[in-house]
Amino acid sequence: MDAASSTADAVAIRNGRFIAVGTEKDVRKFANSSTQVLDAGGGIVVPGLIDTHAHVEAAGLLNYTVSFDGVGSVDEALARIAEMAGRTPAGEWIRGRMWHPMAQLKEKRFLTRQEIDSVASEHPVCLPVGHFTLCNSLALQLAGIDRNTPNPDGGEIHHDEAGEPTGVLEENAEDLVQDLLPGWSREVRTSQIKQAMAYFNSFGITSAISARVDPPDMRIHQMIAKSGEATLRISAMYAPTGGLNPTMTEQRWEELLSKMGVYSDFGDEWLSFSGLKMQVDGGMTLRTADMREAYPGQPGYHGTVVVTQDKLNRMVAIANRYGWRVGTHAVGDGAVDKVLDAYAYADREESIKDRRFIVIHGSLMQPDQMDRAKAMGVRVDTQSAFLWDKAATIARHLGKATADRAIPLRSMIDHMGLDMVAQGTDYPINLLSPFVNMSVAITRKDKNGDVYGAEQAVSREEALRLYTSAASRYAFAEHLTGSIEVGKLADLAFLSADPLTVAEDEIKSIVALKTMVDGRIVYERSA
């Protein structure tokens, strides 16, 4: 994955870096009696993979939350909650793992509080969905939410026809319940994040942009890195107030950033800040993406916008003023317009040209927006994985034509250049597998084999570069990671098959056999 798309037979590693790359004969001369020699057996080895948008910390909750993996109906979802309630002391919170009822359940809807009450009436229940949280009656009661509770700015408490809360909280309203969740002890959270790193390593992933890191988790990451126990390089999209869009005043926001004492890209090869995370809209799979055109069958409805343009402009400008670049969640083309307007506003005060500000997702970005982003030096980091099991849901909400142009990787690369685009998964919303993600990017096929927007397919090498050489640029780490070159960090993924040559339908089934970070094997697949 170097500039020349070279291949090599062997590498030599010392102190966590490549000191030679070439033929086996060239590299053997660096070995002596104490050298550890690892034979890949003719297999394929690629640079360590980089996921540019994943909620890393969530992978540490696998043993602490309700899993809805494989759930296909309301009854099955309730059975999972009931099982957790059966082994959780009364009064303690039941937390869910991220899932997607609209795409997963045959009923294509959220659970109601009454349904959750029927299996967990003695536990407060909080089930995050991504832009929505589902709660039972006890959780609403503890949060003081009733029919008269006003909506918070940028959020909505959903009500039924009788005016009672349904248990569905949207965007900033989620915090009314999520803020009540007790924190984990330092020991437990440290263990969780180590487990999360190991889970990422099992997919050949050696670096990740963690999509929303709050101050407590940033401290845990720093402790793990300092102890030498980190196995995943982390660059954080930081949420210094815990939320994506600060609810504080402009003056308080400026005061906070002016006193923070650090800014974007501070850190080292193990842990750094990549920027501040903000948000404009919801999601295309939830019918809340902010669109230029009204939704089919809903004249006047363009989606959800969680921050005013004026406030976004000011918050971004203040961040830029204090050295922070910004990555903003924008799914719909209407939201992308707003993000680019805010970046242009900040740019007029102080140039962002070489700062690599980010459009996060850009799922329905239009060609004119790609050209505008390129002119400002703005990158886009998207996720083909949304099409794997949610393409049909997108088509249902926005129409097949819109689903076909979702995740327009071909257009992004053609308009912006490969180095200003990369791929992540948005795990746990989507599967973490880089190879499912690459498969969708290459074939545009969902899990059922249905094709969406074949003209947006990319080549195999482009798909791999979106996870390596292009991805490293997100964290300004292209001099450290993303390719196998002398002087770079010795991060490698040993794969079960070559994504550049294996049969197209087999790309999604590739797995990591070994993962190396800093010259150490941190994962090895059991036979």
Side-chain angles (χ1 to χ4, degrees):
M1 295 293 107
D2 61 1
S5 299
S6 306
T7 59
D9 298 321
V11 298
I13 297 166
R14 181 186 292 145
N15 297 328
R17 291 183 185 254
F18 299 117
I19 60 170
V21 179
T23 67
E24 183 175 348
K25 181 180 178 181
D26 292 336
V27 170
R28 282 281 183 185
K29 64 185 181 184
F30 289 91
N32 59 32
S33 59
S34 64
T35 299
Q36 178 186 358
V37 178
L38 180 62
D39 189 340
I44 182 70
V45 183
V46 300
L49 302 176
I50 303 167
D51 189 314
T52 59
H53 187 88
H55 298 269
V56 174
E57 299 75 22
L61 300 177
L62 298 179
N63 297 322
Y64 299 82
T65 51
V66 180
S67 169
F68 294 100
D69 291 352
V71 163
S73 69
V74 168
D75 286 345
E76 290 176 4
L78 295 176
R80 296 284 181 92
I81 300 168
E83 190 278 329
M84 179 66 87
R87 55 187 175 90
T88 302
E92 290 190 8
W93 284 86
I94 291 176
R95 313 180 196 214
R97 200 177 305 168
M98 200 71 75
W99 62 311
H100 202 293
M102 293 293 195
Q104 287 182 233
L105 305 184
K106 65 181 181 182
E107 293 86 355
K108 306 300 179 190
R109 65 171 176 83
F110 293 137
L111 307 181
T112 68
R113 65 178 172 86
Q114 292 89 348
E115 288 171 329
I116 303 173
D117 291 345
S118 71
V119 294
S121 60
E122 298 182 357
H123 304 81
V125 178
C126 177
L127 308 176
V129 174
H131 307 287
F132 292 86
T133 293
L134 313 183
C135 306
N136 68 346
S137 296
L138 183 54
L140 294 177
Q141 179 184 331
L142 292 173
I145 298 172
D146 59 26
R147 64 184 299 140
N148 298 313
T149 304
N151 289 326
D153 289 343
E156 181 180 351
I157 301 167
H158 288 225
H159 296 81
D160 59 24
E161 293 181 355
E164 296 295 333
T166 63
V168 177
L169 306 177
E170 184 176 353
E171 299 295 357
N172 287 350
E174 298 176 89
D175 295 340
L176 299 175
V177 165
Q178 293 200 8
D179 285 349
L180 300 180
L181 295 173
W184 308 105
S185 70
R186 187 173 71 180
E187 293 73 22
V188 167
R189 193 60 177 147
T190 300
S191 176
Q192 289 174 349
I193 291 181
K194 288 180 184 177
Q195 291 172 32
M197 290 180 171
Y199 185 67
F200 273 65
N201 296 152
S202 72
F203 290 90
I205 300 170
T206 58
S207 299
I209 304 298
S210 194
R212 176 183 177 178
V213 183
D214 61 18
D217 279 350
M218 198 69 190
R219 283 192 286 271
I220 298 295
H221 276 299
Q222 186 174 353
M223 292 168 55
I224 294 171
K226 185 178 180 180
S227 70
E229 296 176 281
T231 63
L232 182 72
R233 304 186 193 279
I234 296 289
S235 196
M237 290 305 297
Y238 195 42
T241 66
L244 293 186
N245 293 329
T247 55
M248 60 182 60
T249 64
E250 176 183 338
Q251 291 74 23
R252 288 283 307 281
W253 178 239
E254 182 159 14
E255 181 181 357
L256 172 66
L257 297 189
S258 69
K259 294 181 177 179
M260 197 173 292
V262 294
Y263 53 89
S264 294
D265 309 305
F266 176 80
D268 58 22
E269 63 264 29
W270 285 107
L271 180 64
S272 64
F273 292 106
S274 257
L276 296 178
K277 175 78 176 289
M278 294 186 184
Q279 176 187 2
V280 169
D281 65 346
M284 58 184 174
T285 61
L286 298 166
R287 206 177 174 85
T288 53
D290 175 35
M291 303 296 294
R292 284 176 169 177
E293 302 295 330
Y295 277 67
Q298 269 187 284
Y301 176 68
H302 292 261
T304 297
V305 176
V306 300
V307 61
T308 67
Q309 185 73 61
D310 284 347
K311 182 170 185 179
L312 182 66
N313 289 352
R314 294 194 300 270
M315 293 298 183
V316 170
I318 291 169
N320 186 42
R321 192 176 304 154
Y322 290 96
W324 285 97
R325 63 176 164 140
V326 176
T328 309
H329 169 116
V331 173
D333 46 17
V336 174
D337 282 333
K338 293 175 176 62
V339 171
L340 295 179
D341 284 349
Y343 290 174
Y345 179 92
D347 183 68
R348 287 193 287 272
E349 177 182 306
E350 184 174 334
S351 175
I352 68 168
K353 177 67 176 177
D354 297 317
R355 302 278 306 287
R356 299 182 194 172
F357 276 49
I358 311 118
V359 173
I360 295 173
H361 303 303
S363 306
L364 294 165
M365 201 172 185
Q366 299 276 14
D368 65 293
Q369 297 172 324
M370 300 169 197
D371 293 336
R372 188 181 178 199
K374 180 181 180 180
M376 287 194 288
V378 171
R379 62 180 293 118
V380 60
D381 287 83
T382 194
Q383 304 86 32
S384 294
F386 274 103
L387 298 179
W388 176 247
D389 58 358
K390 302 175 182 68
T393 302
I394 300 166
R396 188 170 68 248
H397 289 333
L398 290 160
K400 178 63 162 57
T402 302
D404 282 340
R405 71 174 183 86
I407 325 294
L409 273 177
R410 176 76 273 143
S411 295
M412 289 174 174
I413 293 170
D414 291 346
H415 283 259
M416 300 177 66
L418 183 64
D419 283 345
M420 293 303 283
V421 183
Q423 279 250 74
T425 55
D426 204 6
Y427 173 87
I429 296 293
N430 300 307
L431 298 175
L432 186 57
S433 169
F435 308 103
V436 168
N437 206 6
M438 290 182 203
S439 176
V440 177
I442 294 162
T443 69
R444 299 291 294 191
K445 290 180 181 178
D446 71 358
K447 67 178 183 178
N448 300 315
D450 295 326
V451 175
Y452 289 83
E455 69 280 0
Q456 291 298 334
V458 302
S459 73
R460 293 174 185 236
E461 181 172 336
E462 287 170 330
L464 186 54
R465 285 190 177 278
L466 291 171
Y467 258 94
T468 53
S469 60
S472 65
R473 296 177 62 83
Y474 191 120
F476 285 88
E478 60 265 32
H479 63 296
L480 295 173
T481 61
S483 61
I484 302 171
E485 298 183 78
V486 171
K488 289 195 172 185
L489 298 170
D491 297 351
L492 297 170
F494 297 67
L495 306 183
S496 61
D498 186 347
L500 301 182
T501 61
V502 71
E504 190 175 82
D505 286 345
E506 295 178 17
I507 296 171
K508 61 182 178 295
S509 301
I510 294 174
V511 296
L513 303 178
K514 293 185 179 71
T515 304
M516 176 184 285
V517 181
D518 214 48
R520 294 182 293 125
I521 298 295
V522 297
Y523 167 77
E524 190 159 6
R525 188 177 179 86
S526 57

